[in-house]
Amino acid sequence: GAVVSQHPSRVICKSGTSVKIECRSLDFQATTMFWYRQFPKQSLMLMATSNEGSKATYEQGVEKDKFLINHASLTLSTLTVTSAHPEDSSFYICSAREGLNYGYTFGSGTRLTVV
Amino acid sequence: EDQVTQSPEALRLQEGESSSLNCSYTVSGLRGLFWYRQDPGKGPEFLFTLYSAGEEKEKERLKATLTKKESFLHITAPKPEDSATYLCAVLGGAGNMLTFGGGTRLMVKP
């Protein structure tokens, strides 16, 4: 089945620095990938839709200058948290869909801790 | 706007005690209802997709059903390893984004 690989699984960074998270579709091409944020004991909140070769579409309330998304190829999307602050600490998850007749596959998530 | 509500928020069961999780939804033009399992610190793991009312799907101790307003995830004779958060999501309208419910945290005690 479809596999989505997400790295790193955990990252700790200092306040004010930037962190990049990678999301790769390993055995299929994904023109669209999705980035979610999840707080403890809460459900997934869609942050943005990443479109290959074009700008990402951000959900209301998500700062596009803080959460930079790049979808440079059909198998790779990256999320960069710029000038990270402690309130950005969270669990970030990416997702992709192989095609219209398939389910959405999720990465294993990235636990970001900003100190 | 699509809306998904899951109940209960948390459910404690004894091993072998069957039960059901509910997912109520409001969507314009349902194109799919998805069930996922999520373990702590992991991404959601795909379980089922249902497309039309009356559809049912099974996988081991899990069975998902769908009506025009809700979906149920039935768990038969659960085991401790079934403990996880179960998420329901819908795909509707012309978009390609899932709308998630709040999830049900299931705890199965031996």
Side-chain angles (χ1 to χ4, degrees):
Chain A
V3 178
V4 173
S5 176
Q6 187 174 340
H7 292 282
S9 58
R10 291 178 178 271
V11 58
I12 301 173
C13 71
K14 292 185 177 181
S15 186
T17 62
S18 296
V19 173
K20 180 184 287 188
I21 302 170
E22 289 190 350
C23 179
R24 293 180 184 273
S25 55
L26 294 187
D27 48 1
F28 66 99
Q29 294 183 331
T31 55
T32 304
M33 292 185 176
F34 305 89
W35 287 96
Y36 294 84
R37 184 173 181 175
Q38 187 175 35
F39 291 103
K41 297 188 177 181
Q42 293 189 24
S43 192
L44 281 69
M45 180 188 77
L46 180 66
M47 297 175 64
T49 302
S50 171
N51 305 298
E52 188 268 336
S54 64
K55 292 183 178 180
T57 304
Y58 290 83
E59 294 301 297
Q60 191 172 8
V62 177
E63 298 177 61
K64 61 180 67 176
D65 294 331
K66 165 165 277 294
F67 299 101
L68 300 180
I69 292 174
N70 183 275
H71 196 148
S73 75
L74 287 171
T75 59
L76 174 64
S77 176
T78 60
L79 169 67
T80 301
V81 183
T82 63
S83 186
H85 291 284
E87 56 264 31
D88 298 324
S89 298
S90 190
F91 193 56
Y92 294 87
I93 311 173
C94 69
S95 171
R97 194 181 195 190
E98 187 173 359
L100 292 178
N101 296 320
Y102 296 87
Y104 291 74
T105 304
F106 286 81
S108 55
T110 297
R111 171 72 59 193
L112 170 64
T113 303
V114 184
V115 297
Chain B
E1 181 180 336
D2 300 343
Q3 291 188 332
V4 181
T5 303
Q6 291 186 246
S7 62
E9 288 187 8
L11 180 62
R12 291 177 181 265
L13 298 175
Q14 287 294 132
E15 184 172 2
E17 181 186 1
S18 301
S19 187
S20 295
L21 282 55
N22 177 264
C23 171
S24 297
Y25 65 90
T26 303
V27 64
S28 56
L30 180 70
R31 295 192 287 126
L33 185 141
F34 302 81
W35 280 99
Y36 289 88
R37 169 191 171 129
Q38 185 177 26
D39 292 300
K42 301 283 183 64
E45 175 188 343
F46 174 73
L47 293 175
F48 305 107
T49 307
L50 302 169
Y51 294 100
S52 57
E55 190 175 0
E56 299 182 353
K57 288 190 176 176
E58 287 188 69
K59 180 181 179 180
E60 297 180 354
R61 295 178 292 282
L62 300 176
K63 179 180 177 180
T65 63
L66 181 65
T67 72
K68 289 185 178 180
K69 295 182 179 181
E70 58 192 351
S71 176
F72 290 94
L73 185 64
H74 307 277
I75 302 178
T76 302
K79 298 181 178 182
E81 52 262 41
D82 294 322
S83 297
T85 294
Y86 291 85
L87 298 167
C88 170
V90 297
L91 177 66
N96 59 357
M97 301 175 298
L98 295 179
T99 299
F100 278 88
T104 293
R105 292 192 306 279
L106 174 65
M107 293 152 281
V108 183
K109 292 188 173 183

